[in-house]
Amino acid sequence: MTSYNTLSTDTWSLQLPEDWEQKETADLSLYYFESADGTQGLYISTWRFAPEKFGHSNSKLLEYIQTVEKKSLDGMEDCTWELMSMERSSGSGIEAVVMDYYARERSYRIACKVVASLPWAVRSTLHDYDCQDWARSHVALQEIFDSIMIRT
């Protein structure tokens, strides 16, 4: 059974397996954590948006971020991304979307979870750099994704 550590900032919290380590990033507002064997990683950051830009709607903000994420993936050379699943949830003034993409020919999975409570959005991307089996990766890393919360 995997043991987890809880990590948090003023705006988010999450649980990662205890053998994951924080790595340095050039952007001080972006956190990166990596598994001990280097095959998986998680980026997480907090963004602040002007609520009026999105009509005070978390849903509109999530749609905007989904578009940005898709453009970013489409810009990656040598990868053809297949959307494997998308889930939305909402409650208590917070909305979330999870988009899970797989580049089968590269054995590369990127899953993005965005949790919004305007003016804040927490964006996390989970990378499986050696994903031989999407379904197995999805199950193995789901606990991490489920633990990601916005702190309002």
Side-chain angles (χ1 to χ4, degrees), residues 23-42:
K23 303 289 185 173
E24 210 171 296
T25 64
D27 181 349
L28 297 177
S29 66
L30 179 68
Y31 293 82
Y32 177 66
F33 302 92
E34 192 172 84
S35 64
D37 65 4
T39 61
Q40 298 162 336
L42 176 97

Side-chain angles (χ1 to χ4, degrees), residues 55 77 82 91:
E77 293 182 21
E82 178 182 352

Side-chain angles (χ1 to χ4, degrees), residues 77-96:
E77 293 182 21
D78 301 326
C79 285
T80 303
W81 294 99
E82 178 182 352
L83 179 63
M84 302 299 285
S85 70
M86 184 182 318
E87 299 171 22
R88 291 185 78 115
S89 60
S90 63
S92 302
I94 297 171
E95 292 191 46

Side-chain angles (χ1 to χ4, degrees), residues 51-77:
E52 57 276 2
K53 182 176 180 178
F54 298 96
H56 298 273
S57 167
N58 288 326
S59 292
K60 288 182 181 178
L61 172 59
L62 291 178
E63 288 171 15
Y64 168 75
I65 294 173
Q66 282 176 255
T67 301
V68 171
E69 287 295 325
K70 182 68 171 113
K71 283 182 183 177
S72 176
L73 290 173
D74 289 343
M76 293 178 72
E77 293 182 21

Side-chain angles (χ1 to χ4, degrees), residues 1-139:
M1 181 172 221
T2 304
S3 295
Y4 288 84
N5 290 326
T6 300
L7 306 165
S8 63
T9 67
D10 290 343
T11 54
W12 55 260
S13 66
L14 65 89
Q15 293 184 341
L16 289 174
E18 63 183 11
D19 66 342
W20 285 46
E21 292 184 2
Q22 184 173 351
K23 303 289 185 173
E24 210 171 296
T25 64
D27 181 349
L28 297 177
S29 66
L30 179 68
Y31 293 82
Y32 177 66
F33 302 92
E34 192 172 84
S35 64
D37 65 4
T39 61
Q40 298 162 336
L42 176 97
Y43 291 90
I44 188 166
S45 59
T46 303
W47 298 354
R48 183 181 173 99
F49 293 91
E52 57 276 2
K53 182 176 180 178
F54 298 96
H56 298 273
S57 167
N58 288 326
S59 292
K60 288 182 181 178
L61 172 59
L62 291 178
E63 288 171 15
Y64 168 75
I65 294 173
Q66 282 176 255
T67 301
V68 171
E69 287 295 325
K70 182 68 171 113
K71 283 182 183 177
S72 176
L73 290 173
D74 289 343
M76 293 178 72
E77 293 182 21
D78 301 326
C79 285
T80 303
W81 294 99
E82 178 182 352
L83 179 63
M84 302 299 285
S85 70
M86 184 182 318
E87 299 171 22
R88 291 185 78 115
S89 60
S90 63
S92 302
I94 297 171
E95 292 191 46
V97 64
V98 175
M99 302 157 289
D100 202 333
Y101 292 92
Y102 186 44
R104 192 174 314 273
E105 72 282 359
R106 297 278 308 274
S107 299
Y108 189 8
R109 174 184 175 220
I110 296 178
C112 177
K113 180 176 183 177
V114 182
V115 185
S117 180
L118 281 167
W120 301 105
V122 172
R123 175 186 170 266
S124 55
T125 55
L126 187 57
H127 296 250
D128 187 338
Y129 304 112
D130 187 26
C131 182
Q132 301 299 315
D133 181 335
W134 178 86
R136 181 177 292 151
S137 176
H138 179 78
V139 169

